[in-house]
Amino acid sequence: AQKVTQAQTEISVVEKEDVTLDCVYETRDTTYYLFWYKQPPSGELVFLIRRNSFDEQNEISGRYSWNFQKSTSSFNFTITASQVVDSAVYFCALSGPPPNAGGTSYGKLTFGQGTILTVHP
Amino acid sequence: NAGVMQNPRHLVRRRGQEARLRCSPMKGHSHVYWYRQLPEEGLKFMVYLQKENIIDESGMPKERFSAEFPKEGPSILRIQQVVRGDSAAYFCASSPRADSPLHFGNGTRLTVT
């Protein structure tokens, strides 16, 4: 069975601080995908990133960066110089292999419980 | 290219009524997924559909819930005889291929009174 744990329920920071959101996962699949989604106060789910299990290269996109470490089954998300607009619930998610890798439930994401991030001015 | 469109945004139903939630995937997307976000349970997968076919409905409650994605028109999630426990946000997601990232809609907030 798959499991995603986001141990931090709530994080509160002041603007311009850096903040890291933790995500730890469990899976028996050798091929899998990891995702981060953002849910701002307006309620929609915004796709941020997808990584596959064979690509451990860290990724940076503007103020966002992701650290994928297979050895610790973690896929952490860091926001540098946080801003008030970053306030949202952030979800980490895991899926199995896609059809071309023998999977049948790639789109069946297992989500973590989410981390509520509040950035104060 | 418009995103995944869900309507209505908010839906209020009395116990025992039917709720119909609609989802129009992004243009070119033939894979549709429904998820439910309950207050204390987080986001849970419900069903995965491709045009006219249900691929995986392992997350659907056994009774009262059904989903379809017809050849023409939006995908519909139907909840019959709603109960208070059905109150939740229902999200639809779509992708162009079975191995593409999922893009979610804004959700439908269902309130059962």
Side-chain angles (χ1 to χ4, degrees), chain A residues 39 43-45, chain B residues 4-11 19-23 33-39 42-47 59-61 63-66 76-80 82-93 104-112:
Chain A
Q39 188 174 39
E44 70 269 29
L45 277 166
Chain B
V4 178
M5 304 299 292
Q6 289 188 250
N7 65 81
R9 190 75 194 268
H10 299 275
L11 181 61
R20 290 172 75 87
L21 287 63
R22 284 176 290 279
C23 168
Y33 308 82
W34 285 93
Y35 283 77
R36 178 164 66 171
Q37 187 174 29
L38 288 162
L43 276 152
K44 303 286 186 191
F45 167 83
M46 298 182 76
V47 62
M60 288 278 268
E63 296 174 351
R64 302 187 296 109
F65 285 71
S66 62
I76 306 286
L77 179 67
R78 183 179 175 211
I79 312 172
Q80 294 178 288
V82 296
V83 300
R84 289 230 171 94
D86 297 332
S87 296
Y90 291 82
F91 288 92
C92 171
F104 284 82
N106 288 346
T108 293
R109 271 93 188 145
L110 172 65
T111 302
V112 179

Tab-separated table of all heavy atoms in Angstrom, chain A residues 39 43-45, chain B residues 4-11 19-23 33-39 42-47 59-61 63-66 76-80 82-93 104-112:
chain	number	residue	atom	x	y	z
A	39	GLN	N	-2.942	24.481	-2.600
A	39	GLN	CA	-4.358	24.830	-2.509
A	39	GLN	C	-4.475	26.172	-1.788
A	39	GLN	O	-4.453	26.243	-0.560
A	39	GLN	CB	-5.162	23.750	-1.777
A	39	GLN	CG	-6.666	23.989	-1.822
A	39	GLN	CD	-7.460	22.836	-1.228
A	39	GLN	OE1	-7.083	22.249	-0.228
A	39	GLN	NE2	-8.580	22.506	-1.852
A	43	GLY	N	-9.349	27.785	-2.891
A	43	GLY	CA	-9.799	26.395	-2.920
A	43	GLY	C	-9.354	25.534	-4.067
A	43	GLY	O	-9.475	24.304	-3.989
A	44	GLU	N	-8.860	26.131	-5.138
A	44	GLU	CA	-8.475	25.259	-6.266
A	44	GLU	C	-7.169	24.542	-5.964
A	44	GLU	O	-6.432	24.916	-5.069
A	44	GLU	CB	-8.335	26.083	-7.559
A	44	GLU	CG	-7.144	27.016	-7.597
A	44	GLU	CD	-7.467	28.397	-7.067
A	44	GLU	OE1	-8.356	28.485	-6.197
A	44	GLU	OE2	-6.802	29.349	-7.502
A	45	LEU	N	-6.898	23.493	-6.706
A	45	LEU	CA	-5.645	22.743	-6.553
A	45	LEU	C	-4.733	23.082	-7.718
A	45	LEU	O	-5.083	22.858	-8.874
A	45	LEU	CB	-5.923	21.241	-6.558
A	45	LEU	CG	-6.360	20.623	-5.241
A	45	LEU	CD1	-6.927	19.245	-5.460
A	45	LEU	CD2	-5.191	20.554	-4.260
B	4	VAL	N	-9.532	22.903	-16.392
B	4	VAL	CA	-10.619	21.973	-16.085
B	4	VAL	C	-11.773	22.778	-15.475
B	4	VAL	O	-11.570	23.526	-14.524
B	4	VAL	CB	-10.141	20.895	-15.088
B	4	VAL	CG1	-11.286	19.964	-14.735
B	4	VAL	CG2	-8.959	20.124	-15.669
B	5	MET	N	-12.946	22.633	-16.058
B	5	MET	CA	-14.096	23.425	-15.607
B	5	MET	C	-15.057	22.543	-14.833
B	5	MET	O	-15.522	21.522	-15.338
B	5	MET	CB	-14.816	24.035	-16.814
B	5	MET	CG	-13.925	24.876	-17.715
B	5	MET	SD	-13.213	26.276	-16.843
B	5	MET	CE	-14.672	27.249	-16.556
B	6	GLN	N	-15.353	22.981	-13.628
B	6	GLN	CA	-16.318	22.254	-12.813
B	6	GLN	C	-17.493	23.159	-12.485
B	6	GLN	O	-17.292	24.339	-12.179
B	6	GLN	CB	-15.688	21.779	-11.500
B	6	GLN	CG	-14.697	20.650	-11.665
B	6	GLN	CD	-14.256	20.078	-10.338
B	6	GLN	OE1	-13.116	20.259	-9.933
B	6	GLN	NE2	-15.155	19.376	-9.666
B	7	ASN	N	-18.671	22.613	-12.553
B	7	ASN	CA	-19.833	23.377	-12.090
B	7	ASN	C	-20.885	22.451	-11.525
B	7	ASN	O	-20.927	21.267	-11.865
B	7	ASN	CB	-20.394	24.250	-13.224
B	7	ASN	CG	-20.948	23.422	-14.356
B	7	ASN	OD1	-22.064	22.926	-14.298
B	7	ASN	ND2	-20.156	23.258	-15.385
B	8	PRO	N	-21.661	22.968	-10.583
B	8	PRO	CA	-21.545	24.324	-10.041
B	8	PRO	C	-20.364	24.437	-9.075
B	8	PRO	O	-19.780	23.426	-8.687
B	8	PRO	CB	-22.878	24.482	-9.291
B	8	PRO	CG	-23.219	23.102	-8.848
B	8	PRO	CD	-22.748	22.186	-9.966
B	9	ARG	N	-20.039	25.627	-8.707
B	9	ARG	CA	-18.954	25.840	-7.750
B	9	ARG	C	-19.419	25.468	-6.344
B	9	ARG	O	-18.660	24.896	-5.567
B	9	ARG	CB	-18.520	27.304	-7.797
B	9	ARG	CG	-17.246	27.596	-7.030
B	9	ARG	CD	-16.026	27.102	-7.781
B	9	ARG	NE	-14.854	27.068	-6.924
B	9	ARG	CZ	-13.976	28.046	-6.786
B	9	ARG	NH1	-14.139	29.163	-7.470
B	9	ARG	NH2	-12.933	27.912	-5.990
B	10	HIS	N	-20.661	25.805	-6.066
B	10	HIS	CA	-21.270	25.455	-4.784
B	10	HIS	C	-22.631	24.828	-5.058
B	10	HIS	O	-23.360	25.288	-5.943
B	10	HIS	CB	-21.463	26.696	-3.897
B	10	HIS	CG	-20.180	27.382	-3.562
B	10	HIS	ND1	-19.383	27.000	-2.506
B	10	HIS	CD2	-19.537	28.420	-4.153
B	10	HIS	CE1	-18.317	27.772	-2.450
B	10	HIS	NE2	-18.377	28.636	-3.440
B	11	LEU	N	-22.948	23.795	-4.299
B	11	LEU	CA	-24.215	23.093	-4.487
B	11	LEU	C	-24.776	22.753	-3.121
B	11	LEU	O	-24.078	22.160	-2.287
B	11	LEU	CB	-23.978	21.815	-5.298
B	11	LEU	CG	-25.187	20.945	-5.626
B	11	LEU	CD1	-26.187	21.720	-6.469
B	11	LEU	CD2	-24.747	19.685	-6.357
B	19	ALA	N	-27.562	14.863	-6.227
B	19	ALA	CA	-26.570	15.877	-6.592
B	19	ALA	C	-25.885	15.435	-7.881
B	19	ALA	O	-25.480	14.270	-8.012
B	19	ALA	CB	-25.534	16.046	-5.482
B	20	ARG	N	-25.785	16.364	-8.827
B	20	ARG	CA	-25.080	16.076	-10.097
B	20	ARG	C	-23.970	17.099	-10.246
B	20	ARG	O	-24.229	18.304	-10.325
B	20	ARG	CB	-26.061	16.146	-11.265
B	20	ARG	CG	-27.067	15.005	-11.281
B	20	ARG	CD	-28.131	15.229	-12.331
B	20	ARG	NE	-27.648	14.981	-13.673
B	20	ARG	CZ	-27.663	13.788	-14.254
B	20	ARG	NH1	-28.113	12.725	-13.607
B	20	ARG	NH2	-27.222	13.637	-15.482
B	21	LEU	N	-22.749	16.614	-10.304
B	21	LEU	CA	-21.580	17.469	-10.407
B	21	LEU	C	-20.982	17.259	-11.800
B	21	LEU	O	-20.806	16.119	-12.233
B	21	LEU	CB	-20.536	17.093	-9.339
B	21	LEU	CG	-20.832	17.464	-7.888
B	21	LEU	CD1	-22.067	16.766	-7.336
B	21	LEU	CD2	-19.632	17.139	-7.018
B	22	ARG	N	-20.664	18.372	-12.457
B	22	ARG	CA	-20.187	18.289	-13.833
B	22	ARG	C	-18.727	18.705	-13.943
B	22	ARG	O	-18.262	19.593	-13.221
B	22	ARG	CB	-21.041	19.180	-14.738
B	22	ARG	CG	-22.400	18.592	-15.071
B	22	ARG	CD	-23.226	19.568	-15.889
B	22	ARG	NE	-23.636	20.704	-15.099
B	22	ARG	CZ	-24.676	20.705	-14.271
B	22	ARG	NH1	-25.408	19.615	-14.125
B	22	ARG	NH2	-24.984	21.782	-13.604
B	23	CYS	N	-18.049	18.067	-14.869
B	23	CYS	CA	-16.636	18.351	-15.092
B	23	CYS	C	-16.331	18.310	-16.578
B	23	CYS	O	-16.530	17.279	-17.233
B	23	CYS	CB	-15.766	17.330	-14.357
B	23	CYS	SG	-14.021	17.378	-14.837
B	33	TYR	N	-10.489	12.148	-13.707
B	33	TYR	CA	-10.421	11.561	-12.367
B	33	TYR	C	-11.292	12.403	-11.434
B	33	TYR	O	-11.311	13.621	-11.541
B	33	TYR	CB	-8.980	11.587	-11.842
B	33	TYR	CG	-7.961	11.002	-12.784
B	33	TYR	CD1	-7.441	11.760	-13.839
B	33	TYR	CD2	-7.506	9.687	-12.633
B	33	TYR	CE1	-6.511	11.224	-14.708
B	33	TYR	CE2	-6.561	9.159	-13.503
B	33	TYR	CZ	-6.078	9.928	-14.536
B	33	TYR	OH	-5.148	9.395	-15.400
B	34	TRP	N	-11.955	11.736	-10.506
B	34	TRP	CA	-12.705	12.444	-9.461
B	34	TRP	C	-12.091	12.132	-8.105
B	34	TRP	O	-11.750	10.975	-7.806
B	34	TRP	CB	-14.175	12.005	-9.450
B	34	TRP	CG	-14.990	12.567	-10.576
B	34	TRP	CD1	-15.232	11.996	-11.795
B	34	TRP	CD2	-15.693	13.819	-10.584
B	34	TRP	NE1	-16.024	12.809	-12.559
B	34	TRP	CE2	-16.342	13.940	-11.835
B	34	TRP	CE3	-15.863	14.850	-9.653
B	34	TRP	CZ2	-17.119	15.032	-12.189
B	34	TRP	CZ3	-16.630	15.941	-9.999
B	34	TRP	CH2	-17.254	16.025	-11.253
B	35	TYR	N	-11.949	13.189	-7.316
B	35	TYR	CA	-11.430	13.086	-5.957
B	35	TYR	C	-12.397	13.783	-5.003
B	35	TYR	O	-13.107	14.700	-5.394
B	35	TYR	CB	-10.058	13.771	-5.842
B	35	TYR	CG	-8.910	12.972	-6.404
B	35	TYR	CD1	-8.695	12.888	-7.778
B	35	TYR	CD2	-8.043	12.284	-5.556
B	35	TYR	CE1	-7.655	12.139	-8.283
B	35	TYR	CE2	-6.986	11.541	-6.062
B	35	TYR	CZ	-6.806	11.470	-7.427
B	35	TYR	OH	-5.764	10.729	-7.934
B	36	ARG	N	-12.379	13.334	-3.759
B	36	ARG	CA	-13.226	13.969	-2.736
B	36	ARG	C	-12.335	14.448	-1.590
B	36	ARG	O	-11.413	13.724	-1.162
B	36	ARG	CB	-14.260	12.963	-2.224
B	36	ARG	CG	-15.153	13.495	-1.131
B	36	ARG	CD	-16.375	12.642	-0.924
B	36	ARG	NE	-16.094	11.306	-0.420
B	36	ARG	CZ	-17.042	10.469	-0.014
B	36	ARG	NH1	-18.311	10.825	-0.064
B	36	ARG	NH2	-16.732	9.266	0.408
B	37	GLN	N	-12.624	15.640	-1.119
B	37	GLN	CA	-11.875	16.185	0.010
B	37	GLN	C	-12.836	16.364	1.170
B	37	GLN	O	-13.632	17.300	1.209
B	37	GLN	CB	-11.227	17.528	-0.368
B	37	GLN	CG	-10.298	18.072	0.708
B	37	GLN	CD	-9.566	19.335	0.247
B	37	GLN	OE1	-10.065	20.103	-0.568
B	37	GLN	NE2	-8.355	19.549	0.760
B	38	LEU	N	-12.770	15.429	2.103
B	38	LEU	CA	-13.584	15.506	3.308
B	38	LEU	C	-12.816	16.257	4.380
B	38	LEU	O	-11.574	16.175	4.432
B	38	LEU	CB	-13.931	14.099	3.810
B	38	LEU	CG	-14.962	13.345	2.958
B	38	LEU	CD1	-14.922	11.861	3.243
B	38	LEU	CD2	-16.350	13.892	3.213
B	39	PRO	N	-13.513	16.968	5.276
B	39	PRO	CA	-12.824	17.831	6.248
B	39	PRO	C	-11.742	17.115	7.063
B	39	PRO	O	-10.684	17.658	7.264
B	39	PRO	CB	-13.961	18.311	7.142
B	39	PRO	CG	-15.172	18.257	6.270
B	39	PRO	CD	-14.957	17.082	5.352
B	42	GLY	N	-8.845	14.435	4.233
B	42	GLY	CA	-7.956	14.809	3.138
B	42	GLY	C	-8.513	14.400	1.789
B	42	GLY	O	-9.669	14.011	1.655
B	43	LEU	N	-7.673	14.471	0.786
B	43	LEU	CA	-8.071	14.191	-0.593
B	43	LEU	C	-7.983	12.696	-0.878
B	43	LEU	O	-6.940	12.075	-0.709
B	43	LEU	CB	-7.141	14.915	-1.567
B	43	LEU	CG	-7.475	16.356	-1.862
B	43	LEU	CD1	-6.231	17.130	-2.232
B	43	LEU	CD2	-8.506	16.439	-2.967
B	44	LYS	N	-9.102	12.153	-1.370
B	44	LYS	CA	-9.139	10.719	-1.662
B	44	LYS	C	-9.626	10.485	-3.082
B	44	LYS	O	-10.616	11.072	-3.521
B	44	LYS	CB	-10.089	9.993	-0.699
B	44	LYS	CG	-9.752	10.163	0.762
B	44	LYS	CD	-8.536	9.367	1.175
B	44	LYS	CE	-8.337	9.458	2.677
B	44	LYS	NZ	-7.032	8.923	3.084
B	45	PHE	N	-8.950	9.563	-3.767
B	45	PHE	CA	-9.337	9.156	-5.107
B	45	PHE	C	-10.702	8.470	-5.075
B	45	PHE	O	-10.992	7.681	-4.168
B	45	PHE	CB	-8.285	8.197	-5.655
B	45	PHE	CG	-8.683	7.439	-6.889
B	45	PHE	CD1	-8.566	8.023	-8.135
B	45	PHE	CD2	-9.180	6.147	-6.787
B	45	PHE	CE1	-8.930	7.317	-9.270
B	45	PHE	CE2	-9.551	5.431	-7.918
B	45	PHE	CZ	-9.421	6.025	-9.171
B	46	MET	N	-11.523	8.794	-6.074
B	46	MET	CA	-12.815	8.120	-6.185
B	46	MET	C	-12.863	7.227	-7.426
B	46	MET	O	-13.087	6.019	-7.334
B	46	MET	CB	-13.947	9.132	-6.251
B	46	MET	CG	-14.081	10.005	-5.014
B	46	MET	SD	-15.457	11.138	-5.148
B	46	MET	CE	-16.839	10.029	-4.858
B	47	VAL	N	-12.664	7.838	-8.609
B	47	VAL	CA	-12.875	7.089	-9.839
B	47	VAL	C	-12.037	7.681	-10.957
B	47	VAL	O	-11.735	8.875	-10.965
B	47	VAL	CB	-14.380	7.095	-10.211
B	47	VAL	CG1	-14.870	8.520	-10.456
B	47	VAL	CG2	-14.697	6.208	-11.392
B	59	GLY	N	-12.323	3.678	-5.488
B	59	GLY	CA	-12.528	4.624	-4.408
B	59	GLY	C	-13.968	5.099	-4.266
B	59	GLY	O	-14.263	5.927	-3.401
B	60	MET	N	-14.838	4.587	-5.074
B	60	MET	CA	-16.242	5.016	-5.044
B	60	MET	C	-16.983	4.257	-3.951
B	60	MET	O	-16.861	3.036	-3.837
B	60	MET	CB	-16.915	4.736	-6.384
B	60	MET	CG	-16.467	5.644	-7.486
B	60	MET	SD	-17.311	7.212	-7.463
B	60	MET	CE	-18.672	6.819	-8.549
B	61	PRO	N	-17.791	4.968	-3.150
B	61	PRO	CA	-18.681	4.251	-2.231
B	61	PRO	C	-19.552	3.283	-3.019
B	61	PRO	O	-19.915	3.542	-4.169
B	61	PRO	CB	-19.505	5.384	-1.604
B	61	PRO	CG	-18.644	6.592	-1.734
B	61	PRO	CD	-17.900	6.429	-3.016
B	63	GLU	N	-22.604	2.346	-2.766
B	63	GLU	CA	-24.001	2.697	-3.062
B	63	GLU	C	-24.138	4.194	-3.278
B	63	GLU	O	-23.358	4.991	-2.768
B	63	GLU	CB	-24.907	2.260	-1.902
B	63	GLU	CG	-24.924	0.751	-1.702
B	63	GLU	CD	-25.709	0.349	-0.468
B	63	GLU	OE1	-26.092	1.224	0.326
B	63	GLU	OE2	-25.937	-0.865	-0.296
B	64	ARG	N	-25.098	4.560	-4.038
B	64	ARG	CA	-25.564	5.942	-4.257
B	64	ARG	C	-24.663	6.758	-5.167
B	64	ARG	O	-25.088	7.803	-5.643
B	64	ARG	CB	-25.760	6.687	-2.918
B	64	ARG	CG	-26.743	6.020	-1.971
B	64	ARG	CD	-27.001	6.915	-0.745
B	64	ARG	NE	-25.784	7.115	0.054
B	64	ARG	CZ	-25.115	8.262	0.124
B	64	ARG	NH1	-25.534	9.317	-0.567
B	64	ARG	NH2	-24.038	8.367	0.873
B	65	PHE	N	-23.435	6.357	-5.376
B	65	PHE	CA	-22.505	7.138	-6.180
B	65	PHE	C	-22.308	6.476	-7.542
B	65	PHE	O	-22.154	5.254	-7.633
B	65	PHE	CB	-21.133	7.249	-5.492
B	65	PHE	CG	-21.084	8.192	-4.336
B	65	PHE	CD1	-21.717	7.885	-3.147
B	65	PHE	CD2	-20.396	9.396	-4.448
B	65	PHE	CE1	-21.671	8.762	-2.069
B	65	PHE	CE2	-20.336	10.280	-3.379
B	65	PHE	CZ	-20.978	9.956	-2.188
B	66	SER	N	-22.289	7.306	-8.586
B	66	SER	CA	-21.979	6.793	-9.915
B	66	SER	C	-21.294	7.892	-10.711
B	66	SER	O	-21.423	9.077	-10.395
B	66	SER	CB	-23.254	6.319	-10.634
B	66	SER	OG	-24.141	7.404	-10.813
B	76	ILE	N	-19.862	13.387	-15.449
B	76	ILE	CA	-20.847	13.640	-14.400
B	76	ILE	C	-20.580	12.710	-13.218
B	76	ILE	O	-20.414	11.497	-13.390
B	76	ILE	CB	-22.294	13.384	-14.889
B	76	ILE	CG1	-22.606	14.173	-16.149
B	76	ILE	CG2	-23.303	13.661	-13.769
B	76	ILE	CD1	-22.810	15.647	-15.942
B	77	LEU	N	-20.529	13.303	-12.041
B	77	LEU	CA	-20.520	12.521	-10.797
B	77	LEU	C	-21.898	12.692	-10.173
B	77	LEU	O	-22.336	13.810	-9.923
B	77	LEU	CB	-19.435	13.002	-9.841
B	77	LEU	CG	-19.351	12.268	-8.503
B	77	LEU	CD1	-18.901	10.820	-8.707
B	77	LEU	CD2	-18.395	12.981	-7.539
B	78	ARG	N	-22.580	11.583	-9.960
B	78	ARG	CA	-23.962	11.624	-9.495
B	78	ARG	C	-24.038	10.986	-8.112
B	78	ARG	O	-23.526	9.879	-7.909
B	78	ARG	CB	-24.835	10.873	-10.481
B	78	ARG	CG	-26.315	10.878	-10.191
B	78	ARG	CD	-27.017	10.098	-11.290
B	78	ARG	NE	-28.437	9.946	-11.018
B	78	ARG	CZ	-29.150	8.909	-11.409
B	78	ARG	NH1	-28.578	7.917	-12.086
B	78	ARG	NH2	-30.439	8.846	-11.135
B	79	ILE	N	-24.661	11.703	-7.189
B	79	ILE	CA	-24.855	11.167	-5.843
B	79	ILE	C	-26.355	11.145	-5.581
B	79	ILE	O	-27.009	12.191	-5.556
B	79	ILE	CB	-24.160	12.023	-4.767
B	79	ILE	CG1	-22.711	12.334	-5.170
B	79	ILE	CG2	-24.194	11.298	-3.425
B	79	ILE	CD1	-22.007	13.334	-4.255
B	80	GLN	N	-26.882	9.964	-5.413
B	80	GLN	CA	-28.314	9.840	-5.155
B	80	GLN	C	-28.579	9.850	-3.649
B	80	GLN	O	-27.745	9.407	-2.853
B	80	GLN	CB	-28.829	8.529	-5.759
B	80	GLN	CG	-28.760	8.488	-7.274
B	80	GLN	CD	-29.227	7.159	-7.836
B	80	GLN	OE1	-28.531	6.152	-7.699
B	80	GLN	NE2	-30.389	7.134	-8.454
B	82	VAL	N	-28.658	12.021	-1.161
B	82	VAL	CA	-27.519	12.530	-0.401
B	82	VAL	C	-27.790	12.512	1.099
B	82	VAL	O	-28.928	12.672	1.552
B	82	VAL	CB	-27.118	13.953	-0.850
B	82	VAL	CG1	-26.645	13.936	-2.298
B	82	VAL	CG2	-28.262	14.946	-0.657
B	83	VAL	N	-26.687	12.321	1.839
B	83	VAL	CA	-26.734	12.378	3.307
B	83	VAL	C	-25.717	13.413	3.755
B	83	VAL	O	-24.863	13.850	2.957
B	83	VAL	CB	-26.397	11.002	3.929
B	83	VAL	CG1	-27.396	9.949	3.454
B	83	VAL	CG2	-24.985	10.571	3.591
B	84	ARG	N	-25.805	13.808	5.039
B	84	ARG	CA	-24.925	14.881	5.541
B	84	ARG	C	-23.458	14.522	5.348
B	84	ARG	O	-22.628	15.386	5.085
B	84	ARG	CB	-25.215	15.145	7.019
B	84	ARG	CG	-26.533	15.826	7.243
B	84	ARG	CD	-26.379	17.044	8.161
B	84	ARG	NE	-27.627	17.800	8.198
B	84	ARG	CZ	-28.564	17.640	9.113
B	84	ARG	NH1	-28.384	16.768	10.084
B	84	ARG	NH2	-29.660	18.355	9.067
B	85	GLY	N	-23.129	13.258	5.469
B	85	GLY	CA	-21.741	12.817	5.324
B	85	GLY	C	-21.176	12.985	3.925
B	85	GLY	O	-19.968	12.835	3.726
B	86	ASP	N	-22.046	13.292	2.950
B	86	ASP	CA	-21.564	13.527	1.583
B	86	ASP	C	-21.049	14.954	1.416
B	86	ASP	O	-20.461	15.278	0.378
B	86	ASP	CB	-22.693	13.285	0.568
B	86	ASP	CG	-23.179	11.846	0.557
B	86	ASP	OD1	-22.368	10.942	0.883
B	86	ASP	OD2	-24.364	11.623	0.229
B	87	SER	N	-21.287	15.800	2.410
B	87	SER	CA	-20.811	17.183	2.334
B	87	SER	C	-19.289	17.185	2.236
B	87	SER	O	-18.596	16.645	3.113
B	87	SER	CB	-21.243	17.978	3.571
B	87	SER	OG	-22.650	18.095	3.633
B	88	ALA	N	-18.781	17.770	1.177
B	88	ALA	CA	-17.339	17.742	0.915
B	88	ALA	C	-17.064	18.595	-0.312
B	88	ALA	O	-17.986	19.075	-0.973
B	88	ALA	CB	-16.865	16.306	0.647
B	89	ALA	N	-15.777	18.754	-0.609
B	89	ALA	CA	-15.372	19.351	-1.884
B	89	ALA	C	-15.036	18.211	-2.840
B	89	ALA	O	-14.293	17.293	-2.473
B	89	ALA	CB	-14.172	20.260	-1.696
B	90	TYR	N	-15.607	18.272	-4.026
B	90	TYR	CA	-15.374	17.236	-5.032
B	90	TYR	C	-14.552	17.857	-6.159
B	90	TYR	O	-14.960	18.841	-6.771
B	90	TYR	CB	-16.708	16.694	-5.556
B	90	TYR	CG	-17.453	15.901	-4.512
B	90	TYR	CD1	-18.228	16.548	-3.547
B	90	TYR	CD2	-17.358	14.519	-4.466
B	90	TYR	CE1	-18.894	15.826	-2.566
B	90	TYR	CE2	-18.025	13.782	-3.489
B	90	TYR	CZ	-18.782	14.446	-2.548
B	90	TYR	OH	-19.440	13.731	-1.573
B	91	PHE	N	-13.393	17.254	-6.400
B	91	PHE	CA	-12.496	17.765	-7.422
B	91	PHE	C	-12.431	16.816	-8.603
B	91	PHE	O	-12.373	15.594	-8.445
B	91	PHE	CB	-11.077	17.948	-6.850
B	91	PHE	CG	-10.933	19.089	-5.910
B	91	PHE	CD1	-11.100	18.913	-4.550
B	91	PHE	CD2	-10.641	20.363	-6.392
B	91	PHE	CE1	-10.975	19.984	-3.668
B	91	PHE	CE2	-10.506	21.433	-5.531
B	91	PHE	CZ	-10.679	21.244	-4.172
B	92	CYS	N	-12.390	17.418	-9.770
B	92	CYS	CA	-12.181	16.677	-11.003
B	92	CYS	C	-10.791	17.037	-11.523
B	92	CYS	O	-10.346	18.178	-11.366
B	92	CYS	CB	-13.254	17.082	-12.011
B	92	CYS	SG	-13.008	16.460	-13.673
B	93	ALA	N	-10.130	16.070	-12.106
B	93	ALA	CA	-8.829	16.311	-12.725
B	93	ALA	C	-8.819	15.651	-14.094
B	93	ALA	O	-9.545	14.684	-14.330
B	93	ALA	CB	-7.702	15.749	-11.863
B	104	PHE	N	-6.143	19.814	-11.970
B	104	PHE	CA	-7.405	19.826	-11.236
B	104	PHE	C	-8.250	21.042	-11.566
B	104	PHE	O	-7.729	22.127	-11.878
B	104	PHE	CB	-7.137	19.796	-9.732
B	104	PHE	CG	-6.731	18.439	-9.214
B	104	PHE	CD1	-5.417	18.007	-9.326
B	104	PHE	CD2	-7.657	17.602	-8.614
B	104	PHE	CE1	-5.033	16.757	-8.851
B	104	PHE	CE2	-7.283	16.361	-8.135
B	104	PHE	CZ	-5.968	15.934	-8.262
B	105	GLY	N	-9.555	20.863	-11.428
B	105	GLY	CA	-10.484	21.973	-11.503
B	105	GLY	C	-10.594	22.676	-10.162
B	105	GLY	O	-9.890	22.340	-9.206
B	106	ASN	N	-11.489	23.669	-10.089
B	106	ASN	CA	-11.657	24.451	-8.871
B	106	ASN	C	-12.496	23.749	-7.816
B	106	ASN	O	-12.588	24.219	-6.690
B	106	ASN	CB	-12.307	25.803	-9.185
B	106	ASN	CG	-11.338	26.725	-9.890
B	106	ASN	OD1	-10.142	26.479	-9.910
B	106	ASN	ND2	-11.853	27.791	-10.471
B	107	GLY	N	-13.115	22.650	-8.200
B	107	GLY	CA	-13.889	21.883	-7.236
B	107	GLY	C	-15.342	22.334	-7.142
B	107	GLY	O	-15.707	23.460	-7.497
B	108	THR	N	-16.180	21.434	-6.665
B	108	THR	CA	-17.577	21.736	-6.323
B	108	THR	C	-17.737	21.465	-4.845
B	108	THR	O	-17.428	20.360	-4.377
B	108	THR	CB	-18.564	20.850	-7.115
B	108	THR	OG1	-18.504	21.184	-8.489
B	108	THR	CG2	-19.991	21.045	-6.604
B	109	ARG	N	-18.183	22.493	-4.116
B	109	ARG	CA	-18.432	22.314	-2.688
B	109	ARG	C	-19.878	21.922	-2.484
B	109	ARG	O	-20.770	22.728	-2.734
B	109	ARG	CB	-18.144	23.615	-1.922
B	109	ARG	CG	-16.710	23.716	-1.481
B	109	ARG	CD	-15.884	24.461	-2.497
B	109	ARG	NE	-14.467	24.413	-2.203
B	109	ARG	CZ	-13.512	24.356	-3.135
B	109	ARG	NH1	-13.837	24.326	-4.418
B	109	ARG	NH2	-12.249	24.334	-2.780
B	110	LEU	N	-20.087	20.695	-2.060
B	110	LEU	CA	-21.434	20.178	-1.825
B	110	LEU	C	-21.761	20.299	-0.342
B	110	LEU	O	-20.992	19.835	0.507
B	110	LEU	CB	-21.528	18.718	-2.252
B	110	LEU	CG	-22.825	17.981	-1.896
B	110	LEU	CD1	-24.009	18.593	-2.648
B	110	LEU	CD2	-22.700	16.492	-2.191
B	111	THR	N	-22.882	20.919	-0.057
B	111	THR	CA	-23.373	21.009	1.314
B	111	THR	C	-24.729	20.328	1.373
B	111	THR	O	-25.637	20.660	0.608
B	111	THR	CB	-23.520	22.471	1.770
B	111	THR	OG1	-22.246	23.125	1.640
B	111	THR	CG2	-23.986	22.547	3.214
B	112	VAL	N	-24.861	19.387	2.269
B	112	VAL	CA	-26.130	18.684	2.454
B	112	VAL	C	-26.757	19.154	3.757
B	112	VAL	O	-26.137	19.059	4.830
B	112	VAL	CB	-25.918	17.159	2.476
B	112	VAL	CG1	-27.256	16.442	2.686
B	112	VAL	CG2	-25.264	16.693	1.196
